[in-house]
Amino acid sequence: MKYFIICGEASGDLHASHLITALRQRDKNARFRFFGGDLMAAAAGHRGTLLRHYSTLAYMGFVQVLLHAGTILRGMRECKRAMTEWKPDCIILVDYPGFNLRMAKFAKDTALCPVVYYIPPKIWAWKAHRIRQIRRYVDCVLSILPFEEEYYREKHNYEVHYVGNPTYDEIAAHLAEGGRDITHIETYGQEGRPPADIIALLPGSRRQEITANLPVMLKAVAQLQDEHVKRPFTIFVAAAPNTDEALYAQLIAKHAHGVRVDLWKRNVYDLLLAARVALVTSGTATLETAILDVPQVVCYHIRGGRFVNWVRPYFLKCPYISLVNLIAAREVVPELIAADMTPRCLHDHLQAIVDGNERERMLRGYTAMRERLGAVGAPKAAADSIIRIVRNDVAGRK
């Protein structure tokens, strides 16, 4: 079978790469073409072709999208042409709704093949009107969030299928491979320095996120370090793939106020395995941090924070922004968004975890959240569903 897969960011590349592996295991004749990333290319091997890297289309926010509209439109034309020429047996969309829903419409209008959405748009948070496009153009939705089944059914009378969460699988696979490359962490306290608690800073994967979030994070941990002179912290910033290291160096030099901060360029799971606490930009990273049992403060800095906080209830239709709280259906981790994300607020929440009883309360919440996620096996379950859909379609066309 021929599978055409489209994703638009690093997390989609990761999830899609594991889906490709699962499809290859179940379909010995599987071939792939995709708009994606290096991980997908590695998983597909000689059976796949990377047509366009997601980094050339990963723009966030109205202004950035407007400035790069020409690039995005060219990408859409290329994608439509590639699908038409190759004639896949299935189109698999991974998140990235602004682009992918347009590709779904094209596939349906031209009767190309079944369209499967793996990791659908978060219409429970915003842009609920997208359910109309999903109904018309998508044949099957495979969800990775347990609460989405109930939401789609009760709010929109639309059935989606929860297949498990691939983040669980990705972490389990990393641990099974013995991945715990903490050599650098263990030797960090050399030159007469005592061992230190580790604070992990995860400021996001896009340049705009990093430049917005990291300065505030650095100011908060610098203040905490100044207050704990006799208890030094080891501070690492998790580097995003395909991001210039000079950007991190510039921000650290400007905002760390003389406190030593190092860049972590290895697998972020290894950093989290060794961390005592983390500051995490909202997204998949909040879930990864929780699965690895690291207390965290979820934060996201936005310009015009007071205005954003004021209009937020009118646009954001869910009570939380972090996957941890959404899955647990209660506040397990603090969320500091827009105007609430200040160095002082971050510092106070960090201090409550490091010196107070917030740590144990948070870990109990993580346990409840993991119970709702269920067992590992999301890529395999998704691959089984996709192959079944393709075979039924092929049988129906004969």
Side-chain angles (χ1 to χ4, degrees):
M1 300 293 182
K2 299 192 294 186
Y3 305 93
F4 196 103
I5 308 176
I6 310 169
C7 80
E9 58 186 1
S11 62
D13 181 32
L14 177 62
H15 297 327
S17 70
H18 290 284
L19 178 62
I20 287 172
T21 299
L23 286 168
R24 288 189 62 175
Q25 291 171 347
R26 284 155 175 73
D27 181 356
K28 300 305 179 184
N29 297 314
R31 289 178 289 159
F32 306 90
R33 290 190 181 180
F34 43 88
F35 276 38
D38 301 332
L39 297 177
M40 294 170 68
H46 67 279
R47 294 191 189 180
T49 302
L50 174 60
L51 301 175
R52 181 186 269 265
H53 200 282
Y54 69 81
S55 61
T56 65
L57 296 170
Y59 300 106
M60 182 181 66
F62 176 78
V63 174
Q64 287 297 315
V65 169
L66 187 63
L67 289 173
H68 297 90
T71 301
I72 296 170
L73 290 173
R74 281 193 298 274
M76 289 182 178
R77 289 194 295 269
E78 289 176 20
C79 191
K80 291 175 182 178
R81 184 167 58 250
M83 290 189 295
T84 302
E85 292 175 353
W86 198 47
K87 295 181 175 58
D89 296 298
C90 183
I91 294 169
I92 304 169
L93 312 175
V94 183
D95 203 357
Y96 197 37
F99 189 100
N100 273 338
L101 285 172
R102 288 174 172 81
M103 297 306 102
K105 181 181 186 303
F106 175 79
K108 188 60 63 174
D109 288 346
T110 55
L112 269 177
C113 61
V115 176
V116 175
Y117 220 128
Y118 180 53
I119 313 179
K122 298 174 179 62
I123 65 171
W124 38 265
W126 58 80
K127 297 186 178 180
H129 63 272
R130 282 175 167 164
I131 185 63
R132 295 194 292 269
Q133 295 168 286
I134 293 171
R135 285 184 191 279
R136 292 172 186 167
Y137 311 131
V138 177
D139 296 285
C140 178
V141 173
L142 303 177
S143 166
I144 65 168
L145 297 173
F147 61 84
E148 285 189 328
E149 277 190 318
E150 181 180 354
Y151 168 82
Y152 272 86
R153 186 184 308 115
E154 293 188 355
K155 295 289 186 180
H156 301 291
N157 192 29
Y158 186 88
E159 290 296 321
V160 307
H161 309 283
Y162 176 61
V163 294
N165 194 285
T167 301
Y168 227 153
D169 293 81
E170 289 146 13
I171 291 175
H174 185 72
L175 297 178
E177 292 169 0
R180 190 164 181 169
D181 183 13
I182 59 173
T183 304
H184 184 56
I185 293 177
E186 292 172 340
T187 59
Y188 186 85
Q190 290 180 355
E191 302 175 358
R193 296 183 60 187
D197 286 334
I198 292 165
I199 300 177
L201 308 183
L202 283 65
S205 59
R206 297 182 177 95
R207 186 181 182 90
Q208 303 103 292
E209 291 177 327
I210 296 164
T211 54
N213 293 306
L214 187 54
V216 187
M217 292 178 170
L218 290 169
K219 292 173 185 176
V221 295
Q223 183 178 348
L224 188 71
Q225 181 66 90
D226 288 343
E227 295 171 356
H228 290 72
V229 177
K230 296 182 179 179
R231 182 186 178 183
F233 296 102
T234 302
I235 303 165
F236 285 101
V237 176
N242 303 311
T243 301
D244 188 358
E245 291 182 23
L247 172 65
Y248 295 102
Q250 178 185 359
L251 294 173
I252 290 170
K254 185 176 180 179
H255 300 286
H257 300 293
V259 173
R260 178 171 176 175
V261 178
D262 280 355
L263 196 61
W264 183 261
K265 293 176 282 188
R266 300 168 177 80
N267 191 299
V268 71
Y269 296 160
D270 295 326
L271 173 59
L272 290 171
L273 282 164
R276 179 170 178 80
V277 63
L279 299 182
V280 187
T281 294
S282 180
T284 305
T286 65
L287 184 58
E288 295 168 335
T289 305
I291 290 174
L292 289 168
D293 251 359
V294 183
Q296 64 182 302
V297 182
V298 175
C299 45
Y300 203 103
H301 187 266
I302 305 173
R303 289 182 180 179
R306 291 183 181 178
F307 176 75
V308 171
N309 284 359
W310 180 67
V311 301
R312 176 181 166 185
Y314 299 98
F315 292 94
L316 195 64
K317 303 303 181 183
C318 56
Y320 307 109
I321 63 137
S322 71
L323 291 176
V324 180
N325 292 343
L326 286 166
I327 294 169
R330 62 186 176 91
E331 185 175 298
V332 174
V333 297
E335 298 180 352
L336 304 180
I337 310 302
D340 296 329
M341 185 186 174
T342 65
R344 168 52 62 181
C345 287
L346 276 182
H347 163 271
D348 291 348
H349 282 282
L350 272 176
Q351 194 169 51
I353 295 171
V354 172
D355 299 326
N357 58 7
E358 274 296 283
R359 180 181 186 85
E360 294 306 317
R361 183 198 66 81
M362 208 173 289
L363 295 180
R364 289 194 297 271
Y366 287 171
T367 299
M369 182 211 71
R370 287 194 293 268
E371 289 176 356
R372 288 204 69 192
L373 280 180
V376 298
K380 295 178 181 178
D384 288 339
S385 295
I386 291 168
I387 290 173
R388 185 165 54 250
I389 290 167
V390 173
R391 287 177 177 168
N392 288 342
D393 180 69
V394 171
R397 294 186 184 217
K398 289 182 178 179

